[in-house]
């Protein structure tokens, strides 16, 4: 604390750090490349979104259900019963009873519902059963009760007059959106599942209103045909930036690390080691990589979450990452080997060997740092490819965990596309329907921008790092 | 003569690769929990006897009224049936023997594939795959033709007109091919076909040759739903088993052999569009390499010499530079072939084409059904074989184009 920092005299004639010089040179060429700058800007935006989503804990897995807007009020009114006597209308196995002349309840639009009317004793209902056809408008059914005593009150209907009939509200139910974490039961009696194809509820709006107060900013994603949950596309895409980056960067980083080490060993040692490793690489490159990943993730269905101490989603993501890594390292190993074969003949490696450096020092200090640049280009390309491949897997039936909407851009895009192809397309081919374009557009744009900006960046890097192309 | 030696040497390298691939699949199966393997082979246990796959059960399950826990004889019987009670090397040898003699098991009755494709239920995996393979081959050959027919001329053009509009357009096409996922592109094309331009180009639910007017088609399709005439469905080759002679198994060729030109044309139309979608992604990766290698070759000495001699520019591009940049194109095509083949399941699934990729998707699509082990591993072996043989063809072509390779 007391010792004052001693002023260092700057050494004159000090050579700049070659790595920093290389970095500066790369940046000099990169920033003159418009597409590469565009790619960097987009990637920075994505990174910002990812950081925002992580720090603010966007509740990505919330499901939205909407109280169906096409439920209609059905009104039964009776004449002939003395006031105060209860009567009951049963529809769909549910009994609605009343002591007033009116029985009100709501039914979803659609089929003709059979009903039965059962009074308290002594009266006969006409008609006592029938069908009520709920087709988009409120319905009113009139019932007349006759006393079972012959001749009694035939001509004296009770206090019914058409003017006292309460007009059925046009749509009093509206759209009550209920939001709750997936995997839990719906929170209240007002949350009904709703017919799947109701674009008035799931179409996007311009307002960034919070979830729960109406339509969603980027629209809703309806997944798994037959299940009428909506997922929030806006929150999913925000949170997806985070997970997409995490998955692709971790796969590429670990795969490249493995490939770097194996390739460097193979190229440097040569001989039988090289031969054995390269045959292994040949085998891995002969299996269609994506099929191998499909097999691993579809065959391994056992839940290892208790073994690994992670939550089920984390375990499944880990499985995905491991499966990708197993098929990814051979590419890097082959690239690195080719580069090492060139680098190890250079004068500075010879100099290091002459000055008595150990083999591991030569490999890790001289050869690996100098064979990095082709790997950087390949890595930056692959980071953009992996979300596309994850989407490919999801499209073919892989789920991070069954029925959980995992917010990863490839997953969201694949689920949305599947939904359109399996559900809406058939509907639209046979009759009028509205195609949920937002489901295809927004996740697709997110995926496309990510992949293409990474591509621009890697192309710029290739131009900046490879002197031969810089003519 | 040297060429033949080279080919034989390449073919000999096939053996370790095939053995290695099968060892990897074997390792994958062996790593699974035994319960999963039993379910995959024998189906889910009966509802009232869920204990039969457990190694140790309460004795009261076996003998009513007994106390304590007993070793489960059913479990050991199933283990013995699958050979899982043998030591691992013996299991490996058995697996290799069965794989190499094409005993790949049968299609699981309860898997999604068995349910959706009733005719494949319980059939040997090899024969089911052989019904589906011709379709995949037709698709692959057609898309390869498109890829080579577009990528090479376009790559050459963008190298010759470097940084001009042609080059920029090719670059945009290349980048979007990288960045657009195949499933999204395929679905967009399908939506466009079904709802948009499809009807106007005859790509409709009820094309004239799809309706009931055509006796041959009705006989062929039989009970297959009429929807198969809609958006990519065409008659699956295996439906003709025993009904119509299919000498080659290739749908287009068979229809043509029967003199059904409309049907052959229809099949071709339904294959061309998926082939274009597949080609788009592969062209993207190939185009950059063709362009770069062409640029490199155009700066070499012999091209300058040819120009100095007064050879016309057209001839320089075509015969001197173009021919020499072909080597790189073919090598890259060989390297990307695995990815090319790996894209087939999605395309066949979206366009409803009955190829190996389609049956593979069905066999892994398992909400409640067990995963079909035989089909999955059979299809993977088949795809691997396709990739390896494509690589050999590429190597031989490369040696043919560049005689220096054969010496090395």
């Amino acid at each position: 604390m007391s010792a004052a920092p001693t002023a260092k005299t700057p050494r004159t004639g000090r050579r700049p750090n070659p790595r920093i010089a290389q970095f500066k040179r790369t940046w000099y060429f990169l920033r003159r490349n418009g597409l590469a700058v565009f790619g960097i800007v987009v990637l920075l935006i994505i990174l910002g979104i990812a950081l925002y989503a992580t720090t603010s804990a966007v509740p990505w897995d919330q499901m939205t259900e909407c109280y169906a807007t096409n439920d209609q009020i059905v009104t039964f009114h009776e004449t002939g019963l003395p006031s105060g006597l209860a009567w009951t209308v049963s529809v769909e196995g549910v009994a609605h009873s009343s002591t007033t002349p009116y029985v009100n309840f709501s039914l979803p639009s659609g089929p003709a519902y059979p009903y039965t009317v059962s009074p308290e004793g002594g009266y006969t209902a006409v008609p006592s059963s029938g069908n009520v056809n709920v087709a988009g408008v409120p319905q009113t059914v009139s019932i007349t009760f006759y006393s079972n005593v012959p001749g009694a009150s035939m001509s004296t209907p009770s206090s019914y007059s058409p003017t006292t009939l309460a007009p059925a509200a046009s749509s009093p139910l509206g759209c009550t959106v209920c939001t709750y974490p997936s995997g839990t039961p719906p929170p209240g009696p007002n949350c009904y599942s709703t017919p799947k194809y109701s674009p008035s509820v799931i179409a996007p709006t311009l307002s960034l209103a919070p979830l729960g107060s109406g339509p969603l900013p980027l629209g809703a994603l309806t997944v798994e045909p037959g299940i009428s949950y909506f997922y929030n596309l806006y929150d999913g895409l925000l949170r997806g930036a985070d997970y997409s980056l995490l998955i692709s960067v971790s796969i590429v980083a670990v795969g490249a690390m493995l490939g770097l080490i194996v390739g460097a060993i193979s190229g440097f040692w040569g001989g039988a080691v090289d031969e054995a490793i390269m045959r292994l690489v040949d085998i891995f490159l002969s299996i269609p990589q994506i099929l191998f990943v499909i097999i691993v993730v579809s065959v391994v269905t056992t839940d290892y979450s208790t073994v690994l101490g992670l939550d089920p989603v984390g375990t499944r993501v880990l499985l995905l990452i491991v499966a990708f890594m197993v098929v990814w390292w051979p590419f890097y190993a082959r690239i690195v080997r080719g580069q090492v074969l060139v680098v190890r003949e250079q004068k500075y490696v010879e100099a290091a060997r002459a000055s008595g450096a150990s083999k591991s020092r030569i490999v890790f200090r001289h050869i690996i740092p100098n064979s990095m640049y082709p790997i950087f280009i390949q890595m930056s390309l692959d980071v953009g490819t992996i979300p596309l491949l994850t989407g490919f897997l999801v499209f073919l039936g892989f789920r991070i965990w069954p029925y959980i909407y995992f917010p990863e851009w490839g997953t969201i895009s694949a689920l949305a596309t599947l939904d359109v192809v399996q559900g809406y397309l058939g509907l639209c081919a046979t009759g009028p329907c509205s195609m949920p374009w937002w489901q295809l557009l927004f996740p697709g744009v997110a995926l496309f921008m990510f992949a293409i900006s990474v591509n621009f960046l890697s192309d710029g890097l290739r131009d900046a790092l490879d002197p031969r192309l810089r003519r | 003569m040297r060429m033949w030696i080279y080919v034989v040497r390449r073919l000999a390298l096939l053996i370790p690769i095939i053995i290695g691939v099968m060892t990897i699949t074997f390792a994958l199966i062996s790593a699974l929990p035994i319960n999963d393997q039993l379910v995959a082979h024998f189906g889910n246990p009966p509802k009232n006897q869920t204990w039969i796959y457990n190694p140790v059960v309460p004795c009261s399950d076996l003998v009513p009224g007994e106390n304590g826990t007993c070793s489960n004889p059913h479990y050991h019987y199933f283990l013995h049936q699958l050979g899982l009670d043998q030591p691992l090397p013996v299991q490996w040898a058995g697996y290799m023997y069965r794989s190499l003699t094409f005993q790949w098991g049968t299609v699981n009755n309860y898997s999604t594939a068995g349910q959706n494709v009733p005719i494949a239920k319980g059939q040997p995996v090899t024969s089911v795959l052989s019904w589906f393979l011709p379709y995949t081959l037709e698709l692959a050959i057609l898309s390869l033709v498109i890829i080579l027919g577009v990528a090479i001329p376009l790559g050459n053009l963008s190298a010759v007109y470097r940084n001009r509009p042609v080059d920029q357009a090719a670059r945009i096409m290349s980048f979007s091919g990288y960045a657009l996922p195949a499933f999204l592109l395929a679905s967009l094309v399908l939506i466009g076909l079904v709802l948009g331009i499809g009807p106007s180009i005859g790509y409709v639910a009820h094309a004239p040759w799809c309706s009931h007017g055509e006796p041959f088609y009705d006989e062929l399709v039989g009970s297959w739903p009429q929807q198969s005439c809609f958006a990519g469905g065409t008659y699956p080759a295996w439906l003709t088993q025993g009904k119509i002679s299919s000498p080659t198994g290739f749908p287009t060729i068979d229809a043509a052999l029967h003199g059904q030109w409309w049907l052959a044309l229809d099949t071709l139309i339904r294959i061309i569009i998926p082939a274009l979608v597949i080609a788009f992604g592969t062209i993207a990766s190939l185009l950059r390499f063709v362009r770069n290698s062409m640029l490199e070759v155009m700066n070499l000495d012999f091209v300058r010499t040819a120009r100095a001699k007064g050879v016309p520019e057209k001839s320089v591009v075509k015969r001197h530079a173009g021919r020499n940049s072909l080597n790189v194109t073919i090598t890259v095509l060989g390297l990307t072939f695995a990815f090319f083949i790996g894209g087939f399941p999605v395309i066949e699934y979206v366009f409803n084409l009955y190829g190996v990729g389609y049956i593979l998707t069905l066999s892994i699509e398992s909400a409640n059904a067990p995963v079909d082990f035989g089909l999955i591993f059979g299809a993977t072996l088949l795809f691997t074989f396709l990739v390896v043989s494509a690589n050999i063809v590429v190597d031989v072509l490369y040696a043919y184009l560049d005689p220096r390779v054969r010496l090395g």
Side-chain angles (χ1 to χ4, degrees):
Chain A
M1 199 50 95
S2 59
T6 51
K8 281 182 187 167
T9 49
R11 271 189 284 168
T12 50
R14 182 175 158 212
R15 284 172 58 220
N17 186 334
R19 298 257 149 67
I20 293 178
Q22 159 103 17
F23 184 78
K24 277 184 178 166
R25 204 161 53 239
T26 308
W27 173 239
Y28 173 75
F29 283 105
L30 212 53
R31 75 172 183 216
R32 297 201 308 185
N33 186 336
L35 291 181
V37 171
F38 171 80
I40 291 173
V41 169
V42 172
L43 284 179
L44 283 180
I45 291 173
I46 291 174
L47 200 65
I49 294 175
L51 284 178
Y52 164 72
T54 317
T55 50
S56 67
V58 173
W60 50 269
D61 67 338
Q62 289 201 322
M63 299 197 292
T64 299
E65 286 191 8
C66 180
Y67 197 149
T69 46
N70 58 355
D71 276 15
Q72 296 298 337
I73 295 278
V74 179
T75 305
F76 280 75
H77 74 87
E78 55 81 19
T79 53
L81 276 189
S83 79
L85 193 58
W87 60 295
T88 305
V89 178
S90 302
V91 175
E92 295 276 280
V94 179
H96 310 268
S97 62
S98 167
T99 52
T100 64
Y102 303 106
V103 172
N104 290 318
F105 51 93
S106 66
L107 283 175
S109 273
Y113 296 95
Y115 67 84
T116 55
V117 181
S118 54
E120 294 292 303
Y123 290 86
T124 303
V126 177
S128 68
S129 64
N131 286 328
V132 53
N133 199 0
V134 186
V137 288
Q139 293 294 319
T140 305
V141 181
S142 299
I143 308 288
T144 311
F145 282 99
Y146 298 103
S147 171
N148 289 344
V149 182
S153 70
M154 281 294 275
S155 57
T156 56
S158 67
S159 60
Y160 170 70
S161 70
T163 53
T164 59
L165 176 62
S170 57
S171 182
L173 306 171
C175 176
T176 311
V177 178
C178 304
T179 302
Y180 54 96
S182 64
T184 59
N190 285 334
C191 289
Y192 291 79
S193 62
T194 172
K196 194 169 174 249
Y197 309 105
S198 45
S200 62
V201 179
I202 59 180
T205 60
L206 280 178
S207 79
L208 290 178
L211 183 67
S213 62
L216 307 165
L218 295 184
L221 171 65
T222 56
V223 279
E224 305 288 347
I227 302 177
S228 51
Y229 303 127
F230 307 137
Y231 289 103
N232 191 339
L233 216 49
Y234 177 72
D235 287 348
L237 286 184
L238 277 192
R239 203 57 213 267
D242 181 0
Y243 282 98
S244 291
L245 276 180
L246 176 81
I247 289 181
S248 42
V249 168
S250 54
I251 289 170
V252 166
V254 181
M257 192 91 78
L258 256 175
L260 199 63
I261 293 170
V262 173
I265 289 172
S266 170
F268 185 73
W269 260 264
V273 177
D274 182 28
E275 194 65 23
I277 289 177
M278 280 303 117
R279 287 293 82 77
L280 195 64
V281 166
D282 276 351
I283 290 167
F284 271 101
L285 291 181
S286 303
I287 308 176
Q289 290 80 18
I290 189 71
L291 292 190
F292 185 84
V293 178
I294 289 175
I295 290 178
V296 172
V297 295
S298 61
V299 163
V300 181
T301 49
T302 313
D303 184 1
Y304 288 109
S305 54
T306 49
V307 182
L308 295 174
L310 290 166
D311 60 332
V313 174
T315 315
R316 207 74 179 137
V317 172
L318 190 68
L319 175 71
L320 184 76
I321 292 176
V322 168
F324 264 115
M325 261 157 26
V326 168
V327 291
W328 226 252
W329 68 267
F331 286 101
Y332 295 116
R334 181 173 265 195
I335 295 172
V336 171
R337 175 179 172 268
Q339 187 70 13
V340 166
L341 285 182
V342 174
V343 168
R344 74 168 183 183
E345 303 300 331
Q346 303 287 327
K347 291 277 186 266
Y348 54 81
V349 177
E350 219 168 282
R353 203 178 286 137
S355 59
S358 69
K359 269 187 177 176
S360 64
R361 186 181 164 84
I362 292 174
V363 169
F364 286 102
R365 288 290 300 193
H366 298 280
I367 288 187
I368 287 185
N370 284 297
S371 5
M372 287 286 270
Y373 100 83
I375 261 223
F376 270 135
I377 294 166
Q378 187 66 34
M379 275 168 78
S380 57
L381 262 180
D382 289 345
V383 165
T385 317
I386 281 172
L388 308 187
L389 294 182
T390 325
F392 189 100
L393 293 184
V394 171
F395 198 84
L396 292 184
F398 167 71
R399 299 286 180 272
I400 293 292
W401 197 250
Y403 310 117
I404 287 188
Y405 164 62
F406 183 67
E408 194 271 332
W409 285 351
T411 309
I412 297 175
S413 183
L415 284 179
T417 314
L418 264 185
D419 184 47
V420 168
V421 169
Q422 291 180 343
Y424 289 89
L425 191 58
L427 275 186
C428 293
T430 51
C433 78
S434 50
M435 185 65 78
W437 50 269
W438 57 92
Q439 284 192 17
L440 294 177
L441 182 71
F442 296 119
V445 164
L447 213 52
F448 186 82
M449 291 310 282
F450 182 50
I452 209 164
S453 56
V454 163
N455 262 301
F456 285 155
L457 179 61
S458 81
D459 211 49
L461 270 182
R462 189 201 313 264
D463 286 352
L465 286 173
D466 193 342
R468 281 180 308 150
L469 290 174
R470 211 195 292 149
R471 275 191 281 262
Chain B
M1 196 57 209
R2 291 201 70 115
M3 190 74 189
W4 282 113
I5 295 172
Y6 180 77
V7 172
V8 169
R9 217 168 56 197
R10 286 297 307 162
L11 283 177
L13 275 182
L14 197 75
I15 298 167
I17 287 181
I18 295 272
I19 291 177
V21 169
M22 286 194 306
T23 307
I24 289 173
T25 54
F26 172 75
L28 205 58
I29 298 177
S30 307
L32 286 179
I34 285 183
N35 197 51
D36 283 9
Q37 296 188 50
L38 293 181
V39 170
H41 281 279
F42 302 110
N44 284 316
K47 273 213 168 53
N48 52 355
Q49 287 175 303
T50 48
W51 49 269
I52 60 171
Y53 291 157
N54 296 345
V56 177
V57 292
C59 290
S60 54
D61 282 339
L62 302 170
V63 183
E66 283 288 315
N67 292 325
T69 53
C70 296
S71 152
N72 184 357
H74 300 272
Y75 171 80
H76 291 288
Y77 172 75
F78 287 129
L79 276 200
H80 183 71
Q81 285 282 307
L82 288 185
L84 291 178
D85 51 349
Q86 307 273 356
L88 216 52
V90 178
Q91 284 185 41
W92 178 81
Y95 180 81
M96 295 301 278
Y97 174 74
R98 273 178 278 121
S99 301
L100 291 175
T101 50
F102 294 102
Q103 300 172 34
W104 294 357
T106 54
V107 174
N108 194 325
N109 287 348
Y110 307 101
S111 70
T112 318
Q115 298 291 316
N116 285 21
V117 188
I119 199 162
K121 202 191 265 185
Q123 296 293 319
V125 168
T126 39
S127 52
V128 171
L129 287 180
S130 74
W131 298 336
F132 283 80
L133 181 63
Y135 228 131
T136 301
L137 284 184
E138 274 193 2
L139 195 58
I141 290 169
L142 200 61
S143 42
L144 273 181
V145 168
I146 295 172
I147 288 165
L148 292 178
V150 173
I152 293 175
L154 199 57
N156 289 356
L157 265 186
S158 61
V160 172
Y161 299 101
R162 192 183 173 195
N163 292 338
R164 301 270 194 80
V166 178
D167 189 23
Q168 302 293 1
R171 184 174 291 164
I172 288 172
M173 179 181 165
S174 164
F175 279 131
S176 41
Y178 264 123
L180 206 59
F183 62 85
L184 191 57
L185 180 66
S187 307
L188 289 178
V189 169
L190 184 67
I191 291 168
L193 282 175
V194 173
L195 304 180
I197 60 163
S200 58
I201 60 167
Y203 201 90
V204 290
H206 296 285
W209 55 92
C210 271
S211 62
H212 292 277
E214 189 81 47
F216 178 79
Y217 197 91
D218 279 354
E219 193 184 349
L220 211 54
V221 171
S223 60
W224 195 247
Q226 273 299 305
Q227 211 201 349
S228 66
C229 256
F230 152 65
T234 178
Y235 79 90
W238 41 267
L239 267 185
T240 67
Q241 300 296 317
K243 273 189 180 174
I244 304 274
S245 72
S246 56
T248 61
F250 291 89
T252 318
I253 299 172
D254 280 349
L257 282 180
H258 281 279
Q260 300 291 323
W261 300 108
W262 271 120
L263 198 59
L265 182 69
D266 176 59
T267 318
L268 205 60
I269 289 175
R270 291 174 199 289
I271 294 178
I272 277 180
I273 290 161
L276 279 172
V277 174
I278 294 178
F280 188 67
T282 315
I283 287 172
S285 52
L286 206 55
L287 206 53
R288 309 283 298 160
F289 286 101
V290 177
R291 177 180 175 272
N292 287 346
S293 81
M294 187 73 179
L295 276 178
E296 230 155 77
V297 171
M298 297 256 290
N299 281 330
L300 290 182
D301 285 343
F302 70 89
V303 174
R304 202 175 304 142
T305 312
R307 282 203 183 115
K309 278 196 317 192
V311 177
E313 185 63 24
K314 209 175 190 178
S315 181
V316 169
V317 171
K318 250 191 180 167
R319 295 187 44 195
H320 291 79
R323 171 77 193 261
N324 277 292
S325 71
L326 215 57
N327 293 348
V328 176
T329 311
I330 286 176
T331 315
V332 174
L333 192 65
L335 285 178
T336 52
F337 198 82
F339 267 102
F340 167 72
I341 279 284
F344 273 53
V346 157
I347 305 292
E348 284 175 359
Y349 181 70
V350 170
F351 287 98
N352 211 15
L353 295 173
Y354 300 93
V356 178
Y358 183 79
I359 195 85
L360 179 70
T361 28
L362 285 188
S363 61
I364 59 174
E365 205 183 34
S366 56
N368 300 310
V371 175
D372 200 321
F373 272 35
L375 263 182
I376 286 185
F377 289 107
T380 308
L381 277 185
L382 190 62
F383 274 137
T384 307
F385 185 74
L386 282 183
V387 170
V388 171
S389 44
N391 277 334
I392 287 177
V393 169
V394 161
D395 280 355
V396 171
L397 262 182
Y398 190 74
Y400 173 75
L401 286 172
D402 190 353
R404 285 170 297 176
V405 174
R406 264 173 280 166
L407 306 173

